Structure formats: C-alpha cells, structure tokens
Amino acid sequence: MSALPNLHAVRAKWDAVRTSLWFLPAILGATALPLVYAARHFDTRSGSAPAQDQAGWIYRGGPDQAREIVATILSAIGTMTSLVFSITMVVLTLAAGQFGPRLVRNFMARRQTQLVLGVFVLTILYALLLLSALGQDQQEGRFPSVTVAVALAALCLGLLVAFIHHLATSIMSESLIEAVGSELDEGVAALDEAKTEEPAEGELPQDFGQRAAFFGTDGFGYVQSVEIDQILKAARQADVVIGLDLRAGNFTIANGRAFGIYPADRAYPDLVKEIRAAIMLGPHRTPIQDLEFPIRHLVEIAVRALSPGINDPYTAVSVIHRLSAAWPELMRRAVPTGIYHDADGILRLIGPSIDNASLMNAAFSQIRQAGASMPLVLIHLLKSFRSMAPCTRNAAQRDALAAEITAVVEDARREIANRADLRDVESHAERAWRALERENPDPSTADE
C-alpha cells in the first residue's frame, strides 16, 4: 500500500470540505479564544498605563458597564445570526426548487456566505468568552477588549448588508450559470494540451475475458477519483494488465465488476487491495476528474428552465452560450483516452474513455430534446454550433459537431409545425454547415 495519500482522493475530500458551510466558520470560531486572551492581556496593560498614554477611542468605564455592553452585543449579534441563517436557508430552498438540488452545492461553496457566517460565529464566541472573563473585582479603567467587541459588532452589521446584496445577486440565473461555468473552465484547464503525435493506442488481450480475474469494489457509491499513477505502479510491479470498467462519475455497487487483472494467477490479494484503494467512492459526484460534472449541472439549469412549470427559455439560452464558451479551449485539449502505459511503454491499464462526441452529447442533447418545439432554443443552439465550427481541430471534433447540427434539424422538422419558424431554423442550420465546411473542405456528412 502506498504510504503517501492519493492526490486525487485528497482533492476530492478537500472539495467536500470547501463546499461545506461549517469549514470557514469553524476556523474563524476557533480564533475567538486566543483573541479574548490577547484582548484581556491588553486590558491588564491598559489598567496600569498612565491615562495620557492611552488612546481616547478605547472604551473607559467600570467592569459592570463593560459586562452590560458585551451582553447587549451578544444578544444583538445572536439575533442577527439567526436572521442570516434563516435567509441562507430560504435561498437554498429557492435554489433547490428552481435550479435543482445538486446546485445547492455551488451556493454552499461561496466564500462570501461562509465568511459572513464565520464572522458572526467568531463575534458570538468572543462575546461569550469575554463576558465570563470580565470579573467583578476589576477597577474602573480602559477595556480594549470591549472596544474589540464593539468593532466586531460593527463589522457584523456591515457584512449583513453586504450579505443581503450578495444573496440577491447570487439567486439570479446568470450568476449561478457563471459560477458553474467557471467550474467547467477549471476542469478543462486541468486537461493536458493536445499533442501533435498520434494518440496512445492499445487494446486488451483477446483472451482477457477468459484468463483475467475480475473484482469489484468494497462498497457502493459514485467514483469520485481514480489514482491512475498508483494503479500503473502496482500493475508494473506485478507485471499484469488491468482492465478498468469504471471512471470518475460512474456509480458502482459492492462486489460488482469493477476491474479485471490479467493474467488471473498474478491477481495477488495485495494487488487487489491496492487497486481498490486507488478508487475513491462517495455518496455524490465531484468535479475531480469528472468533466461531465459541471456540464450536467449547467444542463440541469437549462432543462428545468424549459420545463412547463417554469417555461423560461432565455435561461436555457444563457446556458447554451456558457457551454459554447468553454468549447474553444476544450477542443485544443486532449481528453483522456483511457489507455495508459508504464514508464517502459508497456500497456498496463485500459479503462473507459471520453471523447468530444460524448461530451458534446452531454452538453447539448438534453437541451435540444427539451426545447425541440421551441425555435428560439434551436436557433441559439445552431448559432453556437456555427461559432464553435472554426475552433475544431480534427475530424473527430468536426464529426461530433456535424452530428449535433443534424440532430437539431431532424428535431425541428419533426416538432415545429409552423413553416416560417422551420425555415428560420433551417436557414441557421445552413449557416452552421457552411461554417463547418470551411474547416473541412471535404465533409463526410451534409445536411442538404
């Protein structure tokens, strides 16, 4: 077993932590105790310092008055905190109903929300600890600790106003689409640059099904990450070929068929254990190694917007635009082929692959199906395909784009009864075809 933690597994766990509402508030709340200790230290020093050497803005009074002020601050901030939590829950409920429950993750991941909750928690804990630390036997004097409490209360008031403004803008569909789109951009940027040489080739031995030993995972859930380097290292040490039946984003069940080891007589228990350890499972999908994760979140926004209950085609159009904006960079990146060799160039691992056609299908097919009877949606799909055509770099990308254009035209001819609307869709399809043909002088498919 590898002594070092799996890099992708750590990233998946960190993603779960950073998208939680407790992480940043817990960190800020933990600073309350040292802050009170430091403030009380300055209280002691201020009590012994000459009055002319002390700043006039530091609170001056007796311990009873100081306790009353801190108690008032504690009561007020407690009320404000309950208000912040209530507003947050209302927004999360609205987001889950309009955009889908899976999009709640993006609201929870916002640093602004976590920061506001964290500062409120810090202020409450600071006031509680300070209230217990202010003794009755102290003499009248200056209390920097009370001044800090007042400053924290003023900060909370300012953050409350900013928080309400932030929530008002974050519930807008464009803001959410951009937040999810940024996550898609990060996933695309994590891919390697496309190379000029031929992609890696390889296939499993012809008798793999007969001579391999097959194993499943210990539990069930979504594959959150697969540590490819760890599997390659283990396969090289055992001198085996591994056929992996799943990738990040897939759902697997316990003791199903997750991977095979060829030949079967080298499928040692330690090897099986290490391969299982390289596959991290969880109750939900994560964007780590799963490029379809943010794509499907954007698609969910569009499909819900096109549902009869919401009927908001312009939100779907915004999603189409945001998806197409990610495609120029994606087309110049190399998508994982699922074929991996060790340092000596020997084939060691073959797993599921993704390609441009499957990604394009995941991005646009459901939107096309949901908006097949809406000329507005189909026209904007075709406009996006037309703008994406000059970005294609190889025949596979052009074929995938051509298939999407063909599908839009077929759906339009089947669903749109108005001849004028249909001609408008077909006109935009012809423009998309011409843009694609300029990139491919000898296209293998044609619409007309």
Side-chain angles (χ1 to χ4, degrees):
M1 188 76 65
S2 177
L4 295 176
N6 299 339
L7 175 61
H8 295 298
V10 171
R11 291 177 58 198
K13 292 178 180 178
W14 167 245
D15 180 78
V17 170
R18 75 174 184 86
T19 56
S20 63
L21 287 177
W22 60 264
F23 177 63
L24 192 55
I27 293 179
L28 291 177
T31 63
L33 182 60
L35 184 60
V36 169
Y37 180 82
R40 291 295 293 153
H41 174 70
F42 283 109
D43 285 351
T44 304
R45 294 188 59 183
S46 297
S48 60
Q52 62 271 18
D53 294 338
Q54 300 178 11
W57 49 266
I58 298 178
Y59 170 78
R60 179 180 178 85
D64 292 336
Q65 294 86 351
R67 290 173 62 87
E68 290 179 3
I69 292 177
V70 175
T72 302
I73 290 175
L74 178 60
S75 176
I77 299 303
T79 303
M80 291 171 62
T81 303
S82 64
L83 176 63
V84 169
F85 273 99
S86 299
I87 294 175
T88 303
M89 291 302 104
V90 170
V91 170
L92 292 180
T93 302
L94 291 174
Q98 183 174 357
F99 302 113
R102 282 159 291 279
L103 273 301
V104 172
R105 169 185 176 276
N106 294 88
F107 284 94
M108 295 174 61
R110 294 179 183 270
R111 283 288 177 265
Q112 297 92 330
T113 302
Q114 297 180 10
L115 177 63
V116 171
L117 294 176
V119 173
F120 274 71
V121 170
L122 166 63
T123 304
I124 289 176
L125 291 177
Y126 177 85
L128 279 173
L129 294 172
L130 181 60
L131 196 60
S132 63
L134 289 172
Q136 298 288 343
D137 55 345
Q138 291 181 265
Q139 301 297 321
E140 180 176 346
R142 297 189 183 272
F143 291 86
S145 60
V146 177
T147 305
V148 173
V150 173
L152 286 174
L155 177 61
C156 288
L157 183 60
L159 286 177
L160 177 63
V161 177
F163 179 67
I164 295 175
H165 170 76
H166 165 70
L167 285 184
T169 56
S170 65
I171 199 66
M172 298 173 62
S173 58
E174 288 81 3
S175 300
L176 182 58
I177 290 171
E178 180 55 34
V180 182
S182 299
E183 198 168 54
L184 174 58
D185 293 339
E186 293 175 2
V188 172
L191 298 175
D192 295 330
E193 292 277 353
K195 299 180 180 179
T196 56
E197 61 264 21
E198 291 296 322
E201 295 182 356
E203 59 181 13
L204 293 173
Q206 293 184 354
D207 58 348
F208 186 87
Q210 293 74 36
R211 295 189 56 198
F214 296 95
F215 303 90
T217 55
D218 291 330
F220 65 91
Y222 289 98
V223 179
Q224 295 184 336
S225 67
V226 179
E227 199 68 23
I228 299 296
D229 291 340
Q230 180 177 337
I231 296 178
L232 287 177
K233 179 180 179 181
R236 182 181 182 184
Q237 291 176 347
D239 192 20
V240 297
V241 178
I242 297 174
L244 193 63
D245 291 337
L246 43 77
R247 61 180 174 86
N250 292 155
F251 186 84
T252 183
I253 61 176
N255 299 319
R257 179 166 169 172
F259 58 91
I261 301 176
Y262 177 93
D265 56 3
R266 299 179 188 172
Y268 307 115
D270 289 343
L271 175 61
V272 175
K273 186 177 180 180
E274 188 155 359
I275 296 175
R276 283 174 172 167
I279 303 173
M280 179 180 176
L281 304 179
H284 50 77
R285 298 173 68 170
T286 69
I288 309 302
Q289 293 183 314
D290 186 5
L291 195 58
E292 291 185 3
F293 179 83
I295 291 178
R296 294 196 180 278
H297 276 193
L298 285 171
V299 171
E300 182 175 5
I301 297 174
V303 172
R304 281 179 171 265
L306 293 174
S307 65
I310 299 179
N311 193 22
D312 181 15
Y314 290 102
T315 294
V317 169
S318 297
V319 171
I320 293 171
H321 294 164
R322 190 60 183 85
L323 284 168
S324 63
W327 234 256
E329 183 65 19
L330 178 60
M331 287 182 175
R332 57 183 294 267
R333 299 280 178 170
V335 295
T337 62
I339 302 172
Y340 302 93
H341 299 76
D342 62 16
D344 298 327
I346 301 175
L347 178 66
R348 293 299 182 187
L349 173 64
I350 292 184
S353 63
I354 57 175
D355 53 25
N356 291 277
S358 62
L359 290 175
M360 198 167 292
N361 183 272
F364 298 109
S365 290
Q366 291 188 57
I367 300 176
R368 168 180 53 79
Q369 294 161 6
S373 61
M374 301 180 183
L376 173 69
V377 175
L378 299 185
I379 287 173
H380 279 278
L381 276 172
L382 292 169
K383 285 183 177 179
S384 296
F385 296 155
R386 179 186 176 188
S387 64
M388 291 161 55
C391 303
T392 57
R393 298 167 59 90
N394 53 54
Q397 294 174 353
R398 288 189 287 271
D399 291 344
L401 191 56
E404 292 299 322
I405 298 173
T406 301
V408 170
V409 175
E410 290 178 354
D411 284 356
R413 290 172 177 170
R414 184 184 64 253
E415 299 291 339
I416 299 178
N418 187 284
R419 293 299 304 172
D421 290 340
L422 180 58
R423 284 195 297 269
D424 197 10
V425 173
E426 291 177 335
S427 174
H428 284 280
E430 291 175 359
R431 297 173 189 174
W433 275 117
R434 287 196 294 268
L436 189 59
E437 289 171 357
R438 284 196 295 269
E439 304 303 319
N440 182 18
D442 185 22
S444 58
T445 59
D447 182 54
E448 300 294 337

